Amino acid sequence: MAPDTNTIPGYTIFREGDYDSASAAAFIPDRVPHPLDIPDQLSIIEIPAAAQLIREWASPKLLKFNCITLREPTKSEYVAYKEGHASRPDRRAFAIVIEQQGSGQISEVVVNLTKSKVERWKEVKDVMPTLTLEDLDIMERISRKDSRVIEACRGLGITDMSKVFVDGWAIGVDERWGFERRLQQGLAYYRNHELDNQYAHPLDFTVIADTEREEVLSVDIRYVNGERTAIPLTEHHYLPNFIGDKYKHDTLKPIDITQPQGVSFQVRGNELTWAGYKMHIGFNYREGIVISDVRMHDPYEDRDRALFNRISVVEMVVPYGCPETPHHKKHAFDLGEYGSGYMTNSLKLGCDCKGAIHYMDGVLCTGKGEAAVIKNAICIHEEDNGLLYKHTDYRDGTVVSARDRKLIISQIITAANYEYGFYHTFTLDGTYKLEVKLTGMLNTYCMHPSEQAASSPYGTEVAPAIIAQNHQHIFSLRVDPEIDGHNNTVLQSDAVVSKDPLGSSENYYGNGFYCEKTPLRTALEGATNYNHETSRSWDIINPNRLNKVSKKPVAFKIVNNACPALLAKPGSVVWKRAAFARKSLWVLPYKDYELYPAGDYVCQSTGDENHPDNLTIQDWANRNESIENADIVCYIQFGLTHFPRTEDFPIMPVEPVSVMLRASNFFQRNPALWVPPSALCVDSISRNAFPACCSGGESKNLPKL
Amino acid sequence: MAPDTNTIPGYTIFREGDYDSASAAAFIPDRVPHPLDIPDQLSIIEIPAAAQLIREWASPKLLKFNCITLREPTKSEYVAYKEGHASRPDRRAFAIVIEQQGSGQISEVVVNLTKSKVERWKEVKDVMPTLTLEDLDIMERISRKDSRVIEACRGLGITDMSKVFVDGWAIGVDERWGFERRLQQGLAYYRNHELDNQYAHPLDFTVIADTEREEVLSVDIRYVNGERTAIPLTEHHYLPNFIGDKYKHDTLKPIDITQPQGVSFQVRGNELTWAGYKMHIGFNYREGIVISDVRMHDPYEDRDRALFNRISVVEMVVPYGCPETPHHKKHAFDLGEYGSGYMTNSLKLGCDCKGAIHYMDGVLCTGKGEAAVIKNAICIHEEDNGLLYKHTDYRDGTVVSARDRKLIISQIITAANYEYGFYHTFTLDGTYKLEVKLTGMLNTYCMHPSEQAASSPYGTEVAPAIIAQNHQHIFSLRVDPEIDGHNNTVLQSDAVVSKDPLGSSENYYGNGFYCEKTPLRTALEGATNYNHETSRSWDIINPNRLNKVSKKPVAFKIVNNACPALLAKPGSVVWKRAAFARKSLWVLPYKDYELYPAGDYVCQSTGDENHPDNLTIQDWANRNESIENADIVCYIQFGLTHFPRTEDFPIMPVEPVSVMLRASNFFQRNPALWVPPSALCVDSISRNAFPACCSGGESKNLPKL
């Protein structure tokens, strides 16, 4: 059951010579990329081509490829091309490479694929790149053979090391080593048999390893009153092999969802059109889904209007709240430390999504520079979304209603124990919503008999002698807005009581309230928090375009009231490393290749400001540049604080959390009036025009359109 | 088009002699009520029977029936009966009657239907009951004939009074009259033709009328600089008669949702069972849907466990934020002033809900004491709810996932211009969620040429010369919890940073945080607000029952972060009248017949404390009784602050808002493990047991259960 280090579950790997095979052919684009396919993925041809150019450049040094991904053009290149002022930018790859069997030097490489040459090679210092699935697999493999780990297991009565499982995690903090080692920590579990649920059997030690040297550095055993903590041995299962006869097969009757005429969207290359929307779907190892160049047709101005240049989830942090060693090291930055793309599930029809689905594959690389494909990495489908609008005239029962529809672009990632589903959702009224569904397995730990979870504030005893600790999930959604044009401003919108006193002629009855709009002018002003008392939201406006009707600037409103405060103390390790999570919103001027708010290199990061090769959002904000009527980028933080419940064990029911951006005085009127009603029931005027649909009062039976 | 005063759109009215007819038969229960059908509706037989007993008692006085509804048994009677300690309580009706052609005296009547006698007759003073649809219809009828209204219209150039439409509203405040008159205000609009959208043509005057005397008291014209405001005459349509050729019929392909084996719930009388849940569905003129006696099967303790004794939406307020006369009078309490039941839509398959639907009718009364049935008032249906859980073992691709399911019990009401959909939703993980969808028409007003909405903070110009004013919607969800027993306590749960300083041995790395739980001990402590900084939630616990695993009290958690602050000044009219809206949560001891937080009589209420016949939640709280380990009731406020957008005109896309109660250490583990997986993909052990489902890595193709 130990993984074959030449395979990665869920990945289809193409090695040299494979590219002409029939199976490879399915993954090779049979087209010239669509003009707007610039922020696309690299193909299975381009990845090894880039690797080969890099290897040749570095020879005789040996390299491990940490990533090979599309180098998106600069925005000026992209815009010039899109607007017809320049020719198509060259196709480029970006790679991070680690020198093997030597210095371990990390370098960033830009390869021009159009010109077949390495354009840039930059050595970076005091940083560590993402841990890939291949890197993480090392932990278990070396732990099982390590004498100190074997000894630690023996102390718990374990002699069969094939029953010991070690989840590799990035290390939150460990002062014993620095950037001279590429560290990971291993969280140890036991399985009594192949399909046993290891999270029911957490072990009382962690393993610290050097990823590059494949060397165990330390086995840190937690002693309680000088004693080891026994393995919780009771089995707690969630797999059907064990639950089998407890399933109730007839309780839930099937719900069949079909689209007999097919889906309502069209896909050309990576360009998606649906119900007036146009957008482009990309994917990479780190952010997973990238949605770019989002436009929407304005039925009143009869033109496509730009909404967002680029949308992606760029970071997240999961700080655990138990201060006791070794738990203080657990604060996973799943995107920056592991990569949302690398961890993406290959999806299956009817299991992850229902109905008519269009899938897109994800193209990644292996450490050897091979192309690796995650088949069905991205799910695109529609769902009915209930009422879009309804109104009844109470006088006579005249009624009209229409149904809303969702377009959902989703991926699910597995981050060791946890899973996250990311659902990018568009609806007909001009709303984009990102919903994240959290599920999978709680991170668990064993309890010593002297410990009482009921009296410990830092966790919940979710099964006898098993504690699951308090933690937070804080996500960072990066939105590069393009609200009807490149230059935008963010207004902070606070619902406030009128300043005129009760009894004054301006506010005699005291009911006056309004929306106070404060422009965020500089990057430091743009680092703001949600305020519940004023139901704060933010309008991304285009100050150069007024809505013709309301005479207010056209805008999209950010609605985000699910943004918990970061509960680590100021100055603490996670507070420093996760600067982005200190604020609900950051607004910054757009800069090419400034994407990742916890730094380009999150593994082993310290969060210290002004790191030459690893700036964070705090550094960007400290420049305090203008964000007014400028090309800006918004980082929107949202998430939840999770105090585990027994109901979350042994597998967590989905916990959803979401954030929304919504047209607000962007269109001249309801942009979805083109949607045919699902029902109406009107008067004598149209009575002859339509077949019967409904009845009531004075109204006449009328049409189903 | 003027309503026939003998009919009410959407109502089927049964008059004496009708009860033996075939059409009536469909609405007469063909059964002895189920034992748990005590909080049911009155039948179409019982309503006129109650009316007849009341009329006989009052004779020779003439009465108008404001309501005739079920008088639910006291909780002690109900519990004693349910637990087998007492016989079935007598069936009773509760009525509010208004003496006609005389004093206008309001009385409350309790009728024992089992014993056929009036048991209680109580005269109430300085209160006004709900305005029924019949009452509201009076406004338009008398306005059109009133010389002052005709004169006011002539001043705008209107001579055809059939084109003038007047929406009757409860009056927020009007010092000119008191309880000697049953007031309403009329908001005036113009229609150029029968199906014209009147909200595009608001007129500059309001009408004040006496409902009982059917008399116009005043026509209040708003003069701006001494001038009238012209009617905005541009038509803005949403009905298909006008949009017809702008519909895009082929853009959205149909989504068919079917349940070929039928629904998964069973209905016996008003008792509903579904997926381990049991509950009872009631309905009345004021609250609309009432869900009672909610239980859930515990698969681990193998017993039904009580969750909630009774759930209903008991009040809401819509304060408008424009301080200028006459808008200060607009703060609709839609439930208390009009009744959620009275305003309920008769629903239609495929229009309001999709899939396999079970409908229930609503039984109400008319002013004459007849039974009135709203056919299909309540929709009960299931929806797929996406992932219930998923986990993949990253080592070998072993994966299991299941899909969640919703049970939704819903109604839609029309409150003049606005509609509200109420969706009471249960999911398999032990979650109850109330989602409200707001749609319909904005309340609009005309703008004088001297006015600029862009410079007015109190509204948005949603079409030329039409302003829609800022407003809030604050709902009150009443939950009578019964978390595993009658006596419960509410703990306020705040996520707080550890008090131990960074660097101390207790919190060296500064990552410690926990959930601070503060019991709410008395009713005044129980009046609390949401706190965003601590992601505040509340646990309704049963302090007498510990979860066997976590050793924490069994609980349901209230998750409510959509609870805007009431934006009226302290001491203002709406602040006084809507005391309930000042707090996110009130917890009170249960008292029989204490239901309505803004008072039993909301029309013309002042909010003054200690009104002998009209106590509010503030009065209840002021008693400051114990709410600890007691039979308690929670009033949960939630809603939104709406700054209108041009996108909300001429008909509003749905704006959703919701609140949730969720099992939290209530079950010993995930209560939905009985749900068969939609997909799994496991190892060699079960490989022979199941047909192929999926593939990947080391895993074998496995079963679709």
Side-chain angles (χ1 to χ4, degrees):
Chain A
M1 198 166 166
D4 172 355
T5 54
N6 292 315
T7 69
I8 305 166
Y11 287 22
T12 305
I13 295 173
F14 295 96
R15 300 194 170 83
E16 280 173 61
D18 285 347
Y19 305 104
D20 298 326
S21 74
S23 70
F27 299 109
I28 297 173
D30 59 353
R31 60 188 168 82
V32 176
H34 185 275
L36 290 171
D37 278 2
I38 293 175
D40 200 338
Q41 304 184 68
L42 293 181
S43 74
I44 67 164
I45 303 288
E46 290 172 314
I47 283 174
Q52 186 56 29
L53 289 165
I54 293 168
R55 269 191 298 258
E56 286 166 6
W57 198 95
S59 178
K61 288 178 185 164
L62 295 178
L63 301 176
K64 181 157 89 172
F65 292 91
N66 182 260
C67 70
I68 304 176
T69 191
L70 184 78
R71 169 79 159 185
E72 295 179 19
T74 64
K75 193 181 266 191
S76 60
E77 282 179 311
Y78 180 47
V79 169
Y81 169 66
K82 221 173 38 158
E83 294 179 354
H85 308 313
S87 58
R88 188 181 174 86
D90 285 351
R91 185 86 167 164
R92 289 182 173 84
F94 173 83
I96 296 172
V97 295
I98 304 172
E99 196 186 322
Q100 297 293 283
Q101 299 165 326
S103 66
Q105 174 64 48
I106 316 290
S107 300
E108 297 173 349
V109 190
V110 176
V111 180
N112 186 318
L113 291 165
T114 308
K115 301 196 170 64
S116 289
K117 65 170 188 178
V118 169
E119 282 187 338
R120 183 164 177 266
W121 188 290
K122 183 190 171 199
E123 296 192 345
V124 287
K125 300 285 182 203
D126 293 343
V127 295
M128 280 298 169
T130 295
L131 288 158
T132 67
L133 295 187
E134 291 170 274
D135 292 331
L136 294 165
D137 275 346
I138 292 165
M139 172 59 81
E140 188 166 274
R141 180 157 45 83
I142 65 174
S143 291
R144 283 180 177 153
K145 297 179 200 154
D146 183 83
S147 61
R148 286 157 298 175
V149 178
I150 291 168
E151 184 58 34
C153 290
R154 201 186 324 262
L156 295 171
I158 303 170
T159 51
D160 179 354
M161 288 305 288
S162 75
K163 293 184 167 181
V164 175
F165 289 73
V166 189
D167 285 5
W169 281 46
I171 200 154
V173 55
D174 198 320
E175 297 89 342
R176 294 173 289 184
W177 300 276
F179 291 108
E180 76 281 5
R181 291 196 179 268
R182 189 155 174 249
L183 297 170
Q184 52 180 301
Q185 61 178 324
L187 277 51
Y189 304 91
Y190 176 77
R191 292 191 195 183
N192 197 28
H193 46 83
E194 190 178 356
L195 287 183
D196 195 8
N197 172 10
Q198 69 187 47
Y199 300 105
H201 314 301
L203 305 183
D204 69 344
F205 64 88
T206 51
V207 182
I208 313 295
D210 181 317
T211 307
E212 294 310 306
R213 297 182 183 85
E214 302 203 355
E215 181 186 327
V216 169
L217 300 175
S218 178
V219 179
D220 297 337
I221 299 173
R222 185 187 75 134
Y223 289 95
V224 180
N225 306 330
E227 291 174 3
R228 297 293 299 272
T229 300
I231 316 169
L233 278 173
T234 308
E235 297 190 2
H236 299 282
H237 292 297
Y238 62 95
L239 287 175
N241 313 54
F242 308 100
I243 297 187
D245 61 351
K246 295 203 181 63
Y247 287 135
K248 297 184 184 170
H249 288 281
D250 299 323
T251 300
L252 296 175
K253 308 295 182 197
I255 293 182
D256 292 345
I257 302 174
T258 55
Q259 292 193 272
Q261 297 177 30
V263 299
S264 317
F265 55 82
Q266 294 83 42
V267 176
R268 196 176 90 142
N270 284 45
E271 178 85 0
L272 180 62
T273 59
W274 176 78
Y277 285 97
K278 289 182 186 165
M279 65 193 77
H280 185 276
I281 312 300
F283 186 87
N284 65 52
Y285 79 103
R286 182 136 171 190
E287 299 159 281
I289 291 170
V290 176
I291 300 175
S292 59
D293 205 22
V294 182
R295 290 145 286 155
M296 192 171 169
H297 185 73
D298 184 325
Y300 307 110
E301 302 186 5
D302 195 22
R303 63 184 182 100
D304 285 350
R305 297 174 66 188
L307 308 183
F308 309 110
N309 184 58
R310 197 174 186 281
I311 297 175
S312 62
V313 182
V314 285
E315 196 50 272
M316 58 177 286
V317 63
V318 188
Y320 281 76
C322 179
E324 195 186 349
T325 300
H327 310 302
H328 68 283
K329 295 184 193 181
K330 293 187 300 201
H331 40 266
F333 293 72
D334 294 277
L335 275 64
E337 290 182 331
Y338 312 107
S340 194
Y342 280 144
M343 298 188 293
T344 293
N345 290 186
S346 177
L347 299 175
K348 283 160 195 80
L349 184 62
C351 310
D352 300 295
C353 303
K354 285 190 94 143
I357 312 291
H358 179 85
Y359 290 110
M360 286 185 179
D361 302 323
V363 186
L364 305 165
C365 79
T366 68
K368 294 175 184 158
E370 303 148 329
V373 173
I374 298 180
K375 196 150 173 53
N376 301 348
I378 305 171
C379 167
I380 303 172
H381 79 296
E382 291 174 277
E383 288 183 10
D384 179 79
N385 195 32
L387 276 187
L388 172 62
Y389 63 75
K390 180 176 188 179
H391 182 60
T392 301
D393 187 327
Y394 67 90
R395 292 169 177 79
D396 59 10
T398 297
V399 56
V400 62
S401 71
R403 294 192 74 78
D404 196 17
R405 185 73 64 94
K406 291 181 192 174
L407 173 75
I408 304 172
I409 301 146
S410 64
Q411 71 177 120
I412 300 176
I413 69 172
T414 297
N417 51 306
Y418 254 107
E419 344 283 308
Y420 300 96
F422 295 94
Y423 301 80
H424 300 266
T425 302
F426 295 86
T427 48
L428 302 176
D429 59 347
T431 299
Y432 162 77
K433 181 174 171 178
L434 173 65
E435 184 169 43
V436 183
K437 294 188 177 181
L438 290 75
T439 179
M441 317 301 286
L442 290 169
N443 175 261
T444 52
Y445 198 70
C446 50
M447 295 169 66
H448 186 267
S450 69
E451 295 173 310
Q452 293 285 333
S455 63
S456 159
Y458 296 117
T460 302
E461 191 169 359
V462 293
I466 300 173
I467 194 166
Q469 291 148 350
N470 309 337
H471 56 279
Q472 302 191 279
H473 300 266
I474 303 179
F475 301 90
S476 183
L477 173 68
R478 180 182 184 273
V479 176
D480 176 355
E482 197 178 341
I483 305 301
D484 227 3
H486 296 296
N487 284 352
N488 294 164
T489 300
V490 174
L491 305 183
Q492 188 157 288
S493 298
D494 291 296
V496 294
V497 176
S498 165
K499 290 174 180 53
D500 298 313
L502 179 66
S504 68
S505 59
E506 294 79 9
N507 190 21
Y508 186 78
Y509 290 92
N511 63 308
F513 73 87
Y514 60 95
C515 186
E516 188 169 71
K517 301 214 182 245
T518 312
L520 305 177
R521 297 175 194 276
T522 67
L524 285 175
E525 280 183 22
T528 66
N529 273 317
Y530 178 66
N531 182 2
H532 172 70
E533 284 63 38
T534 61
S535 300
R536 180 170 291 169
S537 62
W538 295 270
D539 286 328
I540 312 174
I541 66 164
N542 185 327
N544 314 298
R545 287 188 59 93
L546 292 187
N547 181 300
K548 283 178 192 161
V549 175
S550 71
K551 286 94 172 179
K552 300 187 183 197
V554 298
F556 260 66
K557 180 183 291 297
I558 303 171
V559 181
N560 178 22
N561 62 0
C563 40
L566 179 67
L567 293 171
K569 287 204 185 273
S572 66
V573 173
V574 66
W575 183 90
K576 288 177 66 184
R577 298 186 68 209
F580 71 95
R582 296 178 212 154
K583 297 288 178 184
S584 315
L585 175 70
W586 302 76
V587 185
L588 294 155
Y590 173 88
K591 308 270 183 191
D592 289 324
Y593 311 117
E594 261 185 22
L595 278 170
Y596 303 121
D600 287 347
Y601 298 94
V602 184
C603 289
Q604 297 173 237
S605 72
T606 60
D608 287 339
E609 293 182 15
N610 298 314
H611 186 303
D613 288 321
N614 204 24
L615 296 180
T616 73
I617 201 164
Q618 186 66 61
D619 296 305
W620 306 338
N622 287 347
R623 295 185 302 231
N624 207 20
E625 292 166 302
S626 171
I627 51 171
E628 206 174 8
N629 201 4
D631 186 3
I632 56 171
V633 183
C634 301
Y635 289 80
I636 304 166
Q637 280 60 244
F638 68 103
L640 48 86
T641 299
H642 190 181
F643 298 108
R645 316 168 296 164
T646 43
E647 287 85 356
D648 296 324
F649 191 81
I651 187 166
M652 264 182 65
V654 157
E655 183 108 13
V657 63
S658 63
V659 67
M660 189 164 82
L661 286 89
R662 200 167 204 216
S664 183
N665 295 306
F666 185 80
F667 296 102
Q668 292 177 36
R669 50 173 60 198
N670 184 332
L673 288 182
W674 61 266
V675 180
S678 57
L680 57 142
C681 182
V682 281
D683 72 314
S684 55
I685 295 174
S686 45
R687 116 171 39 154
N688 301 318
F690 303 101
C693 167
C694 51
S695 63
E698 280 290 297
S699 65
K700 298 302 171 289
N701 289 340
L702 273 186
K704 173 141 187 169
L705 287 183
Chain B
M1 198 164 167
D4 171 355
T5 54
N6 292 315
T7 68
I8 306 165
Y11 287 21
T12 305
I13 295 173
F14 294 97
R15 301 197 170 81
E16 279 174 61
D18 284 347
Y19 305 106
D20 299 326
S21 74
S23 69
F27 298 110
I28 298 173
D30 58 353
R31 59 187 169 81
V32 177
H34 186 276
L36 289 171
D37 278 1
I38 293 175
D40 200 338
Q41 304 184 68
L42 294 180
S43 74
I44 67 163
I45 302 289
E46 291 171 316
I47 282 173
Q52 186 56 27
L53 289 165
I54 293 168
R55 269 192 296 259
E56 287 167 7
W57 200 95
S59 178
K61 288 179 185 162
L62 295 179
L63 302 175
K64 180 155 90 172
F65 292 91
N66 182 260
C67 70
I68 304 176
T69 191
L70 183 78
R71 170 78 159 185
E72 294 179 20
T74 64
K75 193 180 266 190
S76 60
E77 282 179 311
Y78 179 48
V79 170
Y81 170 67
K82 220 173 38 159
E83 294 179 353
H85 308 315
S87 59
R88 187 181 174 86
D90 285 350
R91 184 85 167 163
R92 289 183 173 84
F94 173 82
I96 296 172
V97 295
I98 305 172
E99 197 187 321
Q100 297 293 283
Q101 299 166 326
S103 65
Q105 174 65 48
I106 316 289
S107 300
E108 297 173 349
V109 191
V110 176
V111 180
N112 185 317
L113 292 164
T114 308
K115 301 198 171 64
S116 290
K117 66 170 188 179
V118 170
E119 282 187 337
R120 183 164 177 266
W121 189 289
K122 183 190 171 198
E123 295 191 344
V124 288
K125 301 284 180 202
D126 293 343
V127 295
M128 280 297 168
T130 294
L131 288 160
T132 67
L133 294 188
E134 292 169 274
D135 292 331
L136 294 166
D137 274 346
I138 291 165
M139 173 58 83
E140 189 165 274
R141 180 157 46 81
I142 64 174
S143 291
R144 284 181 177 152
K145 296 180 201 152
D146 183 83
S147 60
R148 285 157 297 175
V149 179
I150 292 168
E151 185 57 33
C153 290
R154 201 186 324 258
L156 295 170
I158 303 171
T159 51
D160 179 354
M161 288 304 290
S162 75
K163 292 185 167 181
V164 175
F165 289 73
V166 189
D167 285 5
W169 280 46
I171 200 154
V173 56
D174 199 319
E175 296 89 342
R176 293 173 290 183
W177 300 276
F179 291 108
E180 76 281 5
R181 292 196 178 269
R182 189 154 174 251
L183 298 170
Q184 52 179 302
Q185 61 178 324
L187 276 52
Y189 303 92
Y190 175 78
R191 292 191 195 182
N192 197 28
H193 46 83
E194 189 178 357
L195 286 182
D196 195 8
N197 172 10
Q198 69 186 48
Y199 301 105
H201 313 301
L203 305 184
D204 69 345
F205 64 89
T206 51
V207 182
I208 312 296
D210 180 318
T211 307
E212 294 310 306
R213 297 183 183 87
E214 302 203 354
E215 180 186 329
V216 170
L217 300 175
S218 178
V219 179
D220 298 338
I221 299 173
R222 185 188 74 134
Y223 289 95
V224 180
N225 306 330
E227 290 173 2
R228 297 293 298 271
T229 300
I231 316 169
L233 278 173
T234 308
E235 297 191 2
H236 299 281
H237 292 296
Y238 63 95
L239 287 174
N241 311 53
F242 308 100
I243 297 189
D245 62 349
K246 294 202 182 65
Y247 288 134
K248 297 184 184 170
H249 288 281
D250 300 323
T251 301
L252 296 174
K253 309 294 182 197
I255 293 182
D256 293 345
I257 302 175
T258 55
Q259 291 194 275
Q261 298 177 28
V263 299
S264 317
F265 55 83
Q266 294 83 42
V267 176
R268 196 176 90 142
N270 284 46
E271 179 84 1
L272 179 63
T273 59
W274 176 76
Y277 285 97
K278 289 182 186 165
M279 66 192 76
H280 184 277
I281 312 299
F283 186 87
N284 65 51
Y285 79 104
R286 181 132 173 194
E287 299 159 282
I289 291 170
V290 176
I291 299 176
S292 59
D293 206 22
V294 182
R295 289 145 286 155
M296 192 171 170
H297 185 74
D298 184 325
Y300 307 110
E301 302 185 4
D302 195 22
R303 63 183 181 101
D304 285 350
R305 296 173 67 187
L307 308 183
F308 310 110
N309 183 58
R310 196 174 185 283
I311 297 175
S312 61
V313 182
V314 285
E315 196 49 271
M316 59 177 285
V317 63
V318 188
Y320 281 77
C322 178
E324 193 186 349
T325 300
H327 309 302
H328 68 284
K329 295 185 193 182
K330 292 187 301 200
H331 40 266
F333 293 72
D334 294 278
L335 276 64
E337 291 182 330
Y338 312 107
S340 194
Y342 280 144
M343 297 188 294
T344 293
N345 290 186
S346 177
L347 299 176
K348 283 159 195 81
L349 185 62
C351 310
D352 299 296
C353 303
K354 285 191 93 140
I357 311 291
H358 178 85
Y359 290 111
M360 287 184 178
D361 303 323
V363 185
L364 304 166
C365 79
T366 68
K368 294 175 183 157
E370 302 149 329
V373 173
I374 298 180
K375 197 148 174 55
N376 300 349
I378 305 171
C379 167
I380 303 172
H381 80 295
E382 292 174 276
E383 287 182 10
D384 179 80
N385 195 32
L387 276 187
L388 171 63
Y389 62 76
K390 180 174 188 181
H391 182 60
T392 301
D393 187 327
Y394 67 89
R395 291 169 178 80
D396 58 10
T398 296
V399 57
V400 62
S401 71
R403 294 191 74 78
D404 196 18
R405 185 72 63 95
K406 290 182 191 174
L407 173 74
I408 304 172
I409 301 145
S410 65
Q411 71 177 120
I412 300 175
I413 69 172
T414 297
N417 51 306
Y418 253 107
E419 343 283 309
Y420 300 96
F422 296 93
Y423 300 81
H424 300 266
T425 302
F426 295 86
T427 49
L428 302 175
D429 59 346
T431 299
Y432 162 77
K433 181 174 171 180
L434 173 65
E435 184 169 44
V436 183
K437 295 187 177 182
L438 290 74
T439 178
M441 317 301 287
L442 290 169
N443 175 260
T444 51
Y445 199 69
C446 50
M447 296 169 66
H448 186 268
S450 68
E451 295 173 311
Q452 292 286 332
S455 63
S456 159
Y458 296 117
T460 302
E461 190 169 359
V462 292
I466 301 174
I467 193 165
Q469 291 149 349
N470 309 338
H471 56 278
Q472 301 191 278
H473 301 265
I474 303 179
F475 301 90
S476 182
L477 173 69
R478 180 182 184 273
V479 175
D480 176 357
E482 196 179 341
I483 305 301
D484 228 2
H486 297 296
N487 285 351
N488 293 165
T489 300
V490 174
L491 305 182
Q492 187 157 288
S493 298
D494 291 295
V496 294
V497 176
S498 166
K499 291 174 180 52
D500 298 313
L502 179 67
S504 68
S505 60
E506 293 79 9
N507 190 23
Y508 187 77
Y509 290 93
N511 62 310
F513 72 86
Y514 61 94
C515 187
E516 187 170 70
K517 301 213 182 246
T518 312
L520 305 177
R521 297 175 194 277
T522 67
L524 285 176
E525 280 184 22
T528 65
N529 273 316
Y530 178 67
N531 183 2
H532 173 69
E533 284 64 38
T534 61
S535 300
R536 180 170 290 169
S537 63
W538 295 270
D539 286 329
I540 311 174
I541 66 164
N542 185 327
N544 314 299
R545 287 188 60 92
L546 292 186
N547 181 300
K548 284 178 191 160
V549 175
S550 71
K551 285 94 171 177
K552 299 189 182 194
V554 299
F556 260 67
K557 180 182 291 298
I558 303 171
V559 181
N560 178 22
N561 62 0
C563 41
L566 179 66
L567 294 172
K569 289 210 185 266
S572 66
V573 172
V574 66
W575 184 90
K576 288 177 67 185
R577 298 187 67 207
F580 71 96
R582 298 177 212 154
K583 297 288 177 183
S584 315
L585 176 70
W586 302 76
V587 185
L588 294 156
Y590 173 88
K591 308 272 182 191
D592 290 323
Y593 311 118
E594 262 185 21
L595 279 169
Y596 303 120
D600 286 348
Y601 298 94
V602 184
C603 288
Q604 297 173 239
S605 72
T606 59
D608 287 339
E609 293 184 14
N610 298 314
H611 186 302
D613 288 321
N614 205 24
L615 296 180
T616 73
I617 202 164
Q618 186 64 61
D619 296 305
W620 308 338
N622 287 346
R623 294 185 302 232
N624 208 20
E625 292 167 302
S626 171
I627 51 172
E628 206 174 9
N629 201 3
D631 186 3
I632 55 170
V633 183
C634 302
Y635 289 80
I636 304 165
Q637 281 59 245
F638 69 104
L640 47 85
T641 299
H642 191 182
F643 298 107
R645 316 168 295 165
T646 43
E647 287 84 356
D648 296 324
F649 191 83
I651 187 166
M652 263 182 66
V654 157
E655 183 108 15
V657 62
S658 63
V659 66
M660 189 165 82
L661 287 90
R662 200 167 205 216
S664 182
N665 295 304
F666 185 82
F667 297 102
Q668 292 177 37
R669 49 173 61 198
N670 184 332
L673 287 182
W674 61 267
V675 179
S678 56
L680 57 144
C681 180
V682 283
D683 72 313
S684 54
I685 294 174
S686 44
R687 113 171 40 152
N688 300 317
F690 303 102
C693 166
C694 51
S695 63
E698 280 289 297
S699 67
K700 299 302 169 290
N701 289 341
L702 271 188
K704 173 141 186 170
L705 287 183

